[in-house]
């Protein structure tokens, strides 16, 4: 079938569905929701059999849904309606939730039901994490079922009927800041966490902190520190700790409300509150995994002769500080007597490369970009040149741009079955990229496929990455299952005789490229191109970064997505078929 996506943004869920439906043999094209006439034009050009709205913030124009079948992916159970479904589900402590595929209709979310899929909801989850994991998996199941029903023909969707026993939702309005507000003199830690996490990553909870009006994000419980409810107690790297009535929480990121309080995009809390934070006692981040809940974005532990270095940076963004801290922890992990070292990425993201928000906020974004890419390269170099043990990259969450090439530095790359990879830099204003990609990508997939992956700019499903050789193994359908599968595989490797042979082979391979100096030739060549991106005449990267960080809405759909608008609209051109055929 020809399926047109109408989407507010080509976000992670849209990317995953795009990949899955293309893989099922459908012809998929994307139009970003820019305005109604543009949507109408896309429909006229593409003549789709089906319109799918995986992530839409506005209603589809009535003339479109009257003329063609339009299905909307709603992140709620059967009967749930309204724009804040996940927020309410988390705030009211639902234990089961779901995704429903509805036919677009005059009333919001009241159309006939084509498919639904449910999942268990754990208390205290972060909304974006829920969206990137449980919601995405349920949406894939429901959309594939709905699309199969459309393709088969004859299926009669179920009208929304609140008399039915399995319809238990209802209309809930947009959640307001008043519904989310924290009362620091009354709310306990569980309540504070629930309020912040049900609003994370958007819109955040509006609050006042150290005299600054700001939206709160990235909250973690603290098991030791205590103080006057509402008071700031300590600072740890970019986070600040604030007392509640029965404990304390760490706040990792803030977005100032008013321009006079700084940039109006998310930054580490200690950076936004720099004056107040400077007066707080520093509570050092432990190297070993803490024995109770606290804020720890890098943690080391050992089991069965395997070292596990976990890192979980908010939004997968790695600034100079994150790269340097991870490199220091990596070096410390190398001093331990283990034969296998597992790098375990976060539940939501493995890494999305350099920290674009911090770069945007720097006095000289060009200098900060340069420092950041060099810090990232230093980390990648340390992993690439580790020649006394096996390294395993474990992608529990998605990875983008330089984050993907950070993973390729390891000897063995394992990914969760549902992750989406964006192994290219060009979407950020034609950035050339570094992270030794010119060494690690062709080494894994060959020159032609490597070039096609970099050029085609589209996301890759984990299964496609496996087929291309970009990753070595898929394990587990949930982040927890992936971690467990890697732990048991790594324990087997650590105990196996074959590990010494694998380590010897990698030493030989490194020697063949001239050791660390040989690798640095790749880095030097990449950085020459990056220097032009950062300091050269073409402002493409700086403009793209500004738009990305400030969330400037797209004014047109890029042609690599809007295949109905592309002159290259024949299969095999600028598409994932091109990558497959290059392989
Ligand atoms: N630096 C800072 N923030 C980043 C980031 C980065 N490198 N990559 C992602 N983010 C943030 C987004 O701004 C967004 O913030 P929010 O919490 O305020 O909404 C959040 O992470 C999630 O990103 P989003 O784009 O909504 O996620 P996605 O899963 O739909 O898309 C990517 C993932 C990787 C395709 C997309 O985030 C992206 O293109 N990131 C930039 C990658 C890049 O160019 N890095 C620099 C070169 S190494």
């Amino acid at each position: 079938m020809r399926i047109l996506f109408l989407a507010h943004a080509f976000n992670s869920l849209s990317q995953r569905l795009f990949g899955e439906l293309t893989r099922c043999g459908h012809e998929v094209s994307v139009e970003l929701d820019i305005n109604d006439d543009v949507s109408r034009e896309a429909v006229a050009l593409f003549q789709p059999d089906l319109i799918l709205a995986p992530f839409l913030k506005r209603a589809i124009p009535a003339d479109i849904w009257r003329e063609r079948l339009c299905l909307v992916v709603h992140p709620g159970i059967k009967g749930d309606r309204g724009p804040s479904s996940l927020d309410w589900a988390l705030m009211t402590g639902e234990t089961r939730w779901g995704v429903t595929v509805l036919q677009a209709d005059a009333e919001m979310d009241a159309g006939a039901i084509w498919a639904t899929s449910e999942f268990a909801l754990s208390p205290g989850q972060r909304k974006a994490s829920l969206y990137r994991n449980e919601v995405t998996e349920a949406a894939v199941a429901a959309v594939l079922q709905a699309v199969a029903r459309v393709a088969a023909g004859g299926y009669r969707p179920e009208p929304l009927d609140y008399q039915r026993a399995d319809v238990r939702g209802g209309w809930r309005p947009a959640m307001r800041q008043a519904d989310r507000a924290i009362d620091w003199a009354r709310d306990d830690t569980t309540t504070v966490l629930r309020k912040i996490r049900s609003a994370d990553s958007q819109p955040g909870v509006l609050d006042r902190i150290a005299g600054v009006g700001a939206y709160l994000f990235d909250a973690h419980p603290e098991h030791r520190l205590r103080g006057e409810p509402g008071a700031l107690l300590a600072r740890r790297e970019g986070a600040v700790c604030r007392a509640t009535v029965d404990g304390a929480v760490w706040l990792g990121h803030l977005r100032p409300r008013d321009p006079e309080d700084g940039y109006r995009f998310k930054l580490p809390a200690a950076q936004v509150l720099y004056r107040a934070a400077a007066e707080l006692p520093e509570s050092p981040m432990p190297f070993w995994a803490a024995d109770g809940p606290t804020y720890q974005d890098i943690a080391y532990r050992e089991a069965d002769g395997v070292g596990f270095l976990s890192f979980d940076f908010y939004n997968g963004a790695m600034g100079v500080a994150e790269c340097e801290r991870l490199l220091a922890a990596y070096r410390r992990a190398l001093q331990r007597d283990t034969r296998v070292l597992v790098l375990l990425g976060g539940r939501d993201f493995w890494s999305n490369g350099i920290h674009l928000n911090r770069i945007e906020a720097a006095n000289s974004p060009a200098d900060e970009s340069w420092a950041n890419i060099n810090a990232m390269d230093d980390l990648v170099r340390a992993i690439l040149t580790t020649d006394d043990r096996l390294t395993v990259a474990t992608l529990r969450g998605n990875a983008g741009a330089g984050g993907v090439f950070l993973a390729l530095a390891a000897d063995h790359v394992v990914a969760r079955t549902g992750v989406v990879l964006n192994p290219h830099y060009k979407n950020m204003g034609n950035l050339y990229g570094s992270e030794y990609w010119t060494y690690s990508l062709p080494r894994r997939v060959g020159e032609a496929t490597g070039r096609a992956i970099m050029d085609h700019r589209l996301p890759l499903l984990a299964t496609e990455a496996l087929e291309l050789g970009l990753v070595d193994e898929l394990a587990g359908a949930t982040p927890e299952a992936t971690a467990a599968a890697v732990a048991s595989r790594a324990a087997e490797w650590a105990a196996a005789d074959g590990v010494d042979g694998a380590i010897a082979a990698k030493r030989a391979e490194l020697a063949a490229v001239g050791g660390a100096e040989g690798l640095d030739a790749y880095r030097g060549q990449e950085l020459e191109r990056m220097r032009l991106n950062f300091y050269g005449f073409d402002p493409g990267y700086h403009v793209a970064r500004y738009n990305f960080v400030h969330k400037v809405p797209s004014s047109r759909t890029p042609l690599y997505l809007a295949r109905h608008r592309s002159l290259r609209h024949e299969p095999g051109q600028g598409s994932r078929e091109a990558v497959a055929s290059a392989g």
Side-chain angles (χ1 to χ4, degrees), residues 262-348:
Y263 295 97
R264 293 174 75 189
F265 48 81
K266 286 181 198 172
L267 285 170
Q271 186 173 346
V272 174
L273 308 176
Y274 62 100
R275 275 199 200 92
E279 308 204 329
L280 293 172
E282 175 78 20
S283 165
M285 175 105 48
F287 169 70
W288 292 91
D291 56 1
T294 188
Y295 170 64
Q296 190 173 17
D297 58 5
I298 299 174
Y300 182 77
R301 67 185 175 83
E302 281 172 13
D304 304 320
V306 179
F308 294 88
L309 184 60
S310 315
F311 58 97
D312 191 354
F313 302 122
Y314 188 69
N315 282 340
M318 296 176 66
V320 174
E322 286 76 27
C323 295
E324 288 180 353
R325 288 195 292 117
L326 188 53
L327 176 58
Y330 184 81
R331 290 203 170 118
R332 200 164 156 190
L334 289 185
Q335 285 161 16
R336 303 287 308 167
D337 184 18
T338 59
R339 293 210 297 168
V340 181
L341 177 56
V342 173
L343 297 166
L344 196 60
R347 190 173 199 271
D348 290 357

Side-chain angles (χ1 to χ4, degrees), residues 253 263 265-268 271 314-320 322 352-362 364-366 368-370 372-373 400-402 424-425 427-429 431 435 530 534 540-550:
H253 282 77
Y263 295 97
F265 48 81
K266 286 181 198 172
L267 285 170
Q271 186 173 346
Y314 188 69
N315 282 340
M318 296 176 66
V320 174
E322 286 76 27
N352 281 329
I354 56 177
H355 202 311
L356 299 169
N357 290 29
R358 294 183 78 168
I359 290 170
E360 190 61 33
S364 163
E368 188 65 23
S369 302
W370 183 253
N372 202 159
I373 197 65
H424 45 82
Y425 300 88
N427 287 346
M428 198 50 66
L431 203 59
E435 288 97 2
M530 289 293 258
F534 299 155
Y541 157 71
H542 296 291
V543 171
R545 189 196 61 243
Y546 177 93
N547 289 341
F548 179 82
V549 169
H550 290 90

Side-chain angles (χ1 to χ4, degrees), residues 85 198 216 222 324 347 426 472 525:
S85 295
S198 62
L216 313 181
E222 160 60 34
E324 288 180 353
R347 190 173 199 271
K426 282 192 169 172
D472 300 296
Q525 178 271 123

